[in-house]
Structure formats: C-alpha cells, structure tokens
C-alpha cells in the first residue's frame, strides 16, 4: 500500500507516544524483564481497546546520537541534554486524545514519563 493510499484509508487520528526514561548504563540489558514484557505485550492491549499500533521502536543509547545544527555542524549526543532520554516511541491510531492517553498509561514507567502528542494529519 502506498503512503498516499494509507493516508486516504486512515480512519482515526494518529498520536506519537514517546517514552522518556533515565538512561541505564547497560542499555536494554538493564531493563527489568517485567518492564520489557509490558512493552512487548502493549500491542495486544492496544488492539483490545480498538486502537492500532502503526509503528513502535526502541532507540539506541543517546551516546549513539548525532545532532545536526544550523550551518551543518554535527555534534555528538542529543539536541537536548537532560537526565531522561527518549528510550522509544509508538505511533498509534486512536479514536481521540483521551484514548491515546489511556494507551500511554499501559506502558510501564521506570523512572521517567510517557508523552502523548497528536500528529499532524497531512
């Protein structure tokens, strides 16, 4: 299915669900098994709510990040340095923002937060 076909068939708005966590020294290996299982099983719970996961992705540690600044300068690390990093994200189709927030509540939070942000419909 082409991107254009996908857009025309899209029935529900899309939301980015961003997972912020304190970065762990061992990366994914330091994530407790119950947290990993909760993240991996979220798709089934989201489907049971009548919503759909369009894409989900865990991210490599922030040390692997490169930031491109105005003028083309490339620097190591994320654009914004903070105690928390974006550990992963989901893109979901949900009926509305309330349902997207309910989906975000399914995800375990170790030491951070989950942000739910509507995507522009283009």
């Amino acid at each position: 299915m082409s991107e254009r076909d996908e857009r025309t068939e899209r029935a529900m708005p899309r939301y980015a669900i961003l997972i912020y966590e304190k970065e762990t020294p061992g990366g994914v290996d330091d994530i407790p098994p119950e947290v990993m299982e909760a993240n991996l099983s979220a798709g089934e719970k989201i489907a049971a709510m009548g919503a759909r996961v369009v894409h989900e992705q865990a991210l490599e540690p922030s040390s692997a990040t490169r930031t491109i600044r105005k003028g083309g300068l490339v620097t190591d690390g994320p654009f914004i340095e903070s105690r928390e990093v974006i550990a992963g994200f989901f893109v979901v189709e949900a009926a509305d923002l309330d349902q997207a927030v309910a989906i975000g509540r399914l995800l375990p939070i170790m030491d951070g937060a989950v942000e739910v942000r509507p995507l522009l419909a283009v």
Side-chain angles (χ1 to χ4, degrees):
M1 176 182 296
S2 74
E3 185 175 321
R4 182 179 176 152
D5 292 338
E6 186 177 323
R7 281 186 295 199
T8 57
E9 290 189 14
R10 192 184 311 172
M12 294 192 290
R14 289 184 174 182
Y15 300 88
I17 299 177
L18 307 168
I19 302 166
Y20 295 91
E21 287 289 358
K22 180 179 172 186
E23 198 154 29
T24 56
V28 173
D29 293 339
D30 286 349
I31 297 174
E34 65 275 11
V35 171
M36 186 62 78
E37 176 56 33
N39 279 306
L40 294 174
S41 66
E44 296 169 14
K45 295 174 185 172
I46 293 168
M49 296 171 68
R52 182 174 83 92
V53 175
V54 176
H55 186 79
E56 61 185 301
Q57 188 69 55
L59 300 178
E60 291 287 339
S62 65
S63 60
T65 302
R66 300 294 178 269
T67 299
I68 303 166
R69 301 196 180 272
K70 184 176 180 179
L73 175 66
V74 177
T75 60
D76 292 346
F79 178 72
I80 297 173
E81 293 190 23
S82 69
R83 193 175 74 87
E84 297 167 342
V85 297
I86 300 176
F89 64 90
F90 286 75
V91 174
V92 299
E93 289 179 342
D96 54 31
L97 183 58
D98 290 338
Q99 186 180 42
V101 170
I103 291 168
R105 288 178 181 260
L106 293 174
L107 303 173
I109 299 170
M110 294 190 309
D111 192 23
V114 172
E115 176 179 326
V116 179
R117 185 180 299 193
L119 298 181
L120 284 173
V122 289

